[in-house]
Amino acid sequence: MTLRAVVRGVGHYLPTRVVDNAEFEATLDTTDEWIRSRSGIERRHFATDNDTTSTMATAAAKAALTDAGLEADDVDAIVLATSTADLTFPSAATMVQAQLGMTRGFAFDVQAVCAGFIYALSNANALIASGQARRVLVIGAETFSKIMDWTDRGTCVLFGDGAGALVLEAQDGAGTAQDRGILATDLNSDGRHRDLLYVDGGVSTGTSGYLRMQGNQVFRHAVEKLASTAHTAMDRAGVTADDVDWIVPHQANIRIIQGTAKKMGVPMDRVVVTVQDHGNTSAASIPLALSVGRDRGQIKEGDLLVTEAIGGGLAWGAVVLRW
Ligand code: UT7
C-alpha cells in the first residue's frame, strides 16, 4: 500500500478589479493587439485596497475547505506558495492560519516564484507521504501588482493578482499509476540565471523593489525546460502523453503553453488555458487554473493531470497527479 496525497477540495479567489489591455494604452506605448498576440493575455485582476496576499489566500482556502466539506481545524498544515507575502515576516501562511481561525497544526511559506505552487505541492506531498500531516492546505497567492514598475511596458502588462487552493488528504493507494493523488514530482533550479527575472529590492535595499525581467531570455528557457521536467515526472509516474487528460500549465504566455504542449505530444484541446483572463499570477496561476478548470467541467475525478511551471531563479518543475 502507498500513502497518496489526494485532492479533496479546490477553490479560488480573484479580486473584483478587472483591467483590460486597452486600459494600458492610455499610459504606455503599447496596444491591446501587441499584448494579445505576444502573450495571449486579454485582461487581469488587480488587488483592491481590501486585498492582500494573505486575505486572498484565506478566501481561496475557505472555498477549498467548503468544497472538501471540512473545517479549518481538520487540516494539519498550510503550505503557501508566494513571492509577495504581506510582510517580510511572519509568513503569509501563519496569517492565513489565524484568518481561518485554525488553532492547531503548522504553516509556512514556500518561495519559488512562478514555480512556487509546484514546489508547494511537492512539499505537501512529502509531508503526507512521511506521515507528518494527514491533511494539507496548499495555496498559491500573489499580489504582483505591488511589485510592478508601471512605466515598464515589457512587464507591467503581463502580470495579475489572485489566489487558488487545494486540500490534499492522505489516502491509501495501490502504488500504481491508476491511484488518485500525486503520482510523481520533479523539481529543478539553476541560480546562474538570477538576472533574467528578479525583484530589485528586499532587506538589502530597504525597499520592496520592482520586478525586472528579460522576457525573451526567459522565453528561450521555458519551452525546453518545461517539456523536459514534465517528461521526467511522467516517466517517474509511469505514464505517457496518451494517458494525459489535462496539462494544467503555469499561465505566463499562450505561446509557451502551446510550444510546451506540442513538445509533450499533447493537443491543445487537452490543455487548461486561463491566461487570457488572469494574466501571469505567478504561484497562483496553477491553482487558479485547477479551480477554474474544475468549475468549467474540464477536470473530472479520475483525470490524469500534468502541471508544470518555470520562473525566477530560474526554478522549474512538474507534478503528475490523478484528480
Ligand atoms: O512566469 C515567469 C516566467 N516569465 C515568462 O514566462 C515570460 C516569458 N516571456 C514572454 O512571455 C515574452 O518574452 C514577452 C511577452 C515578455 C515578450 O514577447 P517577445 O516576443 O519575447 O518580445 P520581445 O521581448 O523580444 O520584444 C519585442 C519588441 C521589443 O521592441 P524592439 O526591441 O523589437 O523594437 C519590445 O521593446 O516588443 C517591444 N515590447 C512591447 N511593445 C508593445 C515589449 N513590451 C511591449 C509592449 N507593447 N507591452
Side-chain angles (χ1 to χ4, degrees), residues 28-31 34-35 38-39 113-114 152-155 157-159 197 213-219 222 250-253 255-256 280 282 310-312:
L28 287 171
D29 180 15
T30 192
T31 59
W34 189 95
I35 301 169
R38 294 299 178 111
S39 72
V113 203
C114 296
D152 178 7
R153 67 177 183 170
T155 56
V157 301
L158 301 173
F159 292 89
L197 179 49
M213 178 168 75
Q214 298 177 41
N216 50 11
Q217 297 302 313
V218 177
F219 198 114
H250 172 47
Q251 310 282 326
N253 186 310
R255 294 184 292 141
I256 294 174
N280 182 348
S282 189
I310 185 166

Side-chain angles (χ1 to χ4, degrees), residues 97-181:
Q97 186 186 27
Q99 288 166 28
L100 288 174
M102 182 175 158
T103 55
R104 55 180 295 277
F106 60 95
F108 61 95
D109 289 354
V110 166
Q111 209 272 51
V113 203
C114 296
F117 195 74
I118 297 288
Y119 275 62
L121 270 183
S122 183
N123 272 278
N125 183 47
L127 289 174
I128 286 176
S130 61
Q132 292 177 83
R134 280 197 59 77
R135 293 199 189 105
V136 184
L137 255 173
V138 191
I139 310 171
E142 302 279 18
T143 39
F144 264 47
S145 62
K146 302 284 186 200
I147 52 167
M148 284 299 114
D149 173 352
W150 298 108
T151 65
D152 178 7
R153 67 177 183 170
T155 56
C156 72
V157 301
L158 301 173
F159 292 89
D161 301 334
L166 296 182
V167 180
L168 293 181
E169 180 176 76
Q171 290 181 16
D172 287 329
T176 72
Q178 295 311 310
D179 289 349
R180 287 189 66 208

